[in-house]
């Protein structure tokens, strides 16, 4: 099982010949809800087989679906799913990708992978990181309005203050302990031989500088996602002082992250993120309306396709849940409507998103209620 990263997309987008199978489905993290996931997967495999048989022989279909069938009976795999699952395969490639968001059931057979649900997640303005920080250690999460998933830190990166500072710890006799309060409330306290608060403060600042650089270098600089700090108020101030992370939002969650349940952390994070999310979408929609009034924007899919093929599209907005069956039929960006049941037909919106990405443009997947057009597409042109 792989968690989706931006680095995966170039490989997936580069596959544009042969038979490409794309399967998407919602899954569940916990028992007993996850018991039905393999059953749904099996039913979707039946749909894929029917589609494949329109173009391939029975033996060819068996070969193409062999890794999918093997996955169906892998009990260990189905015990470790998140909210969504993508399974992509060709005769030479097979990938499973776990998503921390629920997605719609979908099967597509075409000459390229259907990547819109993956790009929707990567390009969604709902995404953010949360840094949980206290005096002793830290955790990094990726989330959206519904959930948070803890990310695994690289094995060679220190995970706590002792590993990070080692022999550079100023106060050799001070340790950090977590003491329980009411319920599951905890707070960080120092204890040791004598009063060494000044030295402890030096250690804390060194540790926070290390964490700030680690998160910026390994996460923020690569993803560009907004970063929300979950820490006590006095730790918020110090971390903002030592951090030069441009993705760090000015407001955070003023709580020791170890003192609350994950569901509470999700609510707190979305409370910080939602205004930022709304402002981001409102701005891009305003930019679109201005571009259209100046003749450098369009909601006509044919016009947008022609502009995309010419490399003119700077930013493309796509409605998240909408599909328009069809294909781009030539290098000029001419389009042809079709039927998704045809194994050679994909979603036009998905194909346009891929084309704009390949041409160096930006793609944003927008929920229906936030789209500035009624056609499901909005293109902002470079000229």
């Amino acid at each position: 099982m792989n968690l989706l990263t931006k680095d995966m997309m170039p490989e997936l987008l580069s596959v544009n010949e042969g038979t490409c199978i794309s399967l998407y489905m919602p899954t569940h993290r916990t028992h007993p809800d996850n018991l039905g996931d393999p059953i749904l997967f099996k039913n979707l495999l039946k749909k894929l087989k029917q589609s494949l048989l329109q173009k391939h022989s029975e033996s060819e279909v068996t070969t193409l679906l062999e890794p999918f069938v093997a996955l169906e009976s892998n009990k260990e795999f189905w015990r470790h799913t998140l909210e969504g699952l993508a399974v992509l395969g060709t005769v030479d490639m097979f990938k499973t990708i776990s998503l921390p968001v629920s997605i719609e059931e979908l099967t597509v057979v075409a000459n390229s992978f259907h990547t819109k649900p993956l790009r929707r997640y990567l390009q969604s303005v709902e995404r953010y990181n949360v840094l949980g920080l206290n005096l002793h250690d830290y955790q990094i999460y990726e989330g959206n309005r519904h959930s948070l998933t803890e990310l695994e830190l690289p094995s060679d990166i220190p995970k706590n203050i002792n590993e990070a500072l080692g022999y550079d710890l100023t106060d050799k006799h001070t340790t950090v302990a977590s003491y329980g309060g009411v319920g599951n409330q905890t707070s960080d306290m120092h204890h040791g031989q004598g009063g060494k608060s000044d030295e402890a403060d030096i250690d804390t600042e060194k540790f926070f500088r290390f964490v700030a650089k680690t998160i910026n270098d390994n996460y923020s600089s690569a993803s560009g996602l907004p970063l929300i700090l979950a820490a006590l108020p006095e730790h918020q101030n110090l971390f903002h002082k030592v951090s030069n992370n441009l993705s760090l939002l000015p407001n955070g969650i003023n709580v020791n992250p170890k003192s609350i349940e994950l569901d509470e952390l999700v609510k707190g994070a979305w409370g910080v993120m939602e205004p930022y999310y709304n402002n981001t979408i409102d701005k891009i929609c305003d930019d679109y309306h201005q571009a259209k009034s100046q003749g450098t924007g369009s909601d006509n899919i044919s016009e947008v396709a022609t502009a995309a093929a010419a490399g003119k599209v700077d930013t493309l907005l796509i409605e998240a849940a909408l599909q328009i069956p069809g294909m781009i039929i030539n290098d000029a960006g001419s389009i042809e409507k079709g039927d998704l049941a045809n194994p050679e037909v994909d979603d036009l919106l998905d194909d346009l998103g891929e084309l704009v990405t390949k041409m160096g443009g930006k793609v944003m997947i927008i929920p229906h209620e936030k789209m500035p057009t009624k056609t499901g597409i909005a293109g902002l042109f470079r000229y």
Side-chain angles (χ1 to χ4, degrees):
M1 182 78 74
N2 300 295
L3 284 173
L4 180 64
T5 66
K6 189 182 294 185
D7 294 339
M8 293 180 184
M9 294 309 301
E11 179 187 7
L12 298 178
L13 294 176
S14 69
V15 181
N16 55 12
E17 60 183 36
T19 301
C20 298
I21 302 170
S22 307
L23 182 153
Y24 293 90
M25 59 177 281
T27 51
H28 302 83
R29 289 178 184 250
T30 58
H31 183 87
D33 295 333
N34 59 8
L35 292 177
D37 294 342
I39 298 172
L40 174 57
F41 183 76
K42 183 176 182 179
N43 291 334
L44 293 176
L45 285 189
K46 292 178 181 178
K47 293 180 63 175
L48 280 173
K49 184 175 182 178
Q50 292 172 359
S51 181
L52 287 165
L53 284 172
Q54 295 182 44
K55 189 177 178 181
H56 298 276
S57 68
E58 185 82 34
S59 62
E60 289 173 332
V61 171
T62 299
T63 299
L64 284 164
L65 290 182
E66 183 177 0
F68 290 81
V69 173
L71 185 67
E72 176 195 336
S73 58
N74 187 335
K75 294 182 180 179
E76 187 64 22
F77 174 88
W78 295 105
R79 292 192 187 104
H80 300 284
T81 51
L82 300 179
E83 279 78 17
L85 174 65
V87 186
L88 309 173
T90 68
V91 69
D92 298 315
M93 176 193 293
F94 184 74
K95 286 188 179 295
T96 60
I97 300 173
S98 185
L99 296 168
V101 292
S102 183
I103 53 178
E104 298 291 327
E105 300 171 23
L106 179 66
T107 57
V108 178
V109 178
N111 59 5
S112 62
F113 288 127
H114 180 89
T115 59
K116 183 181 175 184
L118 303 181
R119 289 184 294 101
R120 176 187 178 184
Y121 180 71
L122 288 175
Q123 294 156 352
S124 171
V125 290
E126 292 185 3
R127 292 172 66 217
Y128 58 86
N129 287 134
V130 169
L131 170 61
L133 179 67
N134 57 45
L135 293 176
H136 179 60
D137 57 18
Y138 64 103
Q139 301 80 38
I140 183 72
Y141 302 86
E142 184 173 317
N144 53 64
R145 71 171 71 202
H146 302 296
S147 66
L148 277 175
T149 298
E150 185 172 354
L151 304 179
E152 186 174 347
L153 292 164
S155 59
D156 59 341
I157 289 181
K159 312 297 191 295
N160 55 56
I161 189 171
N162 293 317
E163 293 179 2
L165 301 188
Y167 289 108
D168 289 333
L169 274 168
T170 303
D171 183 0
K172 295 294 192 295
H173 302 286
T174 299
T175 60
V176 180
S178 182
Y179 291 87
V182 178
N184 65 347
Q185 299 293 310
T186 61
S187 60
D188 295 314
M189 298 181 64
H190 285 274
H191 64 88
Q193 299 176 1
K196 299 191 176 182
S197 60
D198 290 342
E199 293 179 350
D201 289 344
I202 293 173
D203 287 341
T204 298
E205 182 168 336
K206 286 181 181 178
F207 179 53
F208 282 13
R209 285 186 186 278
F210 163 80
V211 173
K213 186 176 188 306
T214 296
I215 298 302
N216 188 45
D217 291 351
N218 291 276
Y219 298 96
S220 298
S221 61
S223 72
L225 294 180
L227 177 65
I228 300 169
L229 177 62
L232 293 172
E234 59 269 29
H235 300 162
Q236 294 270 353
N237 296 334
L238 177 58
F239 188 83
H240 277 267
K241 175 184 173 183
V242 302
S243 175
N244 60 2
N245 191 324
L246 298 178
S247 298
L248 180 62
L249 297 185
N251 296 323
I253 310 168
N254 293 316
V255 65
N256 179 349
K258 293 291 185 68
S259 72
I260 60 174
E261 298 293 335
L262 190 61
D263 287 348
E264 295 178 75
L265 193 59
V266 172
K267 291 178 183 177
W270 187 246
V272 173
M273 183 64 189
E274 188 171 19
Y276 177 90
Y277 162 79
N278 287 328
N279 288 338
T280 300
I281 290 188
D282 289 346
K283 183 181 183 306
I284 193 63
C285 290
D286 288 343
D287 290 346
Y288 166 74
H289 289 304
Q290 183 176 355
K292 188 175 182 183
S293 70
Q294 297 173 347
T296 56
S298 176
D299 63 352
N300 181 288
I301 192 167
S302 294
E303 292 178 5
V304 173
T306 301
K312 288 175 56 177
V313 177
D314 177 76
T315 303
L316 182 68
L317 311 183
I318 295 176
E319 184 174 324
L322 183 65
Q323 291 183 23
I324 300 178
M327 65 182 80
I328 301 171
I329 59 176
N330 55 38
D331 292 340
S334 300
I335 63 174
E336 184 178 283
K337 298 292 180 69
D339 184 346
L340 282 178
N342 183 335
E344 295 185 351
V345 173
D346 198 354
D347 174 18
L348 261 175
L349 297 181
D350 182 55
D351 288 348
L352 282 173
E354 291 183 4
L355 180 57
V356 169
T357 299
K358 289 177 180 178
M359 291 292 190
K362 180 180 180 181
V363 180
M364 296 177 67
I365 312 296
I366 306 293
H368 168 76
E369 64 274 12
K370 295 286 188 178
M371 276 295 292
T373 70
K374 295 182 179 180
T375 62
I377 196 166
L380 289 79
F381 305 154
R382 294 189 171 99
Y383 51 88

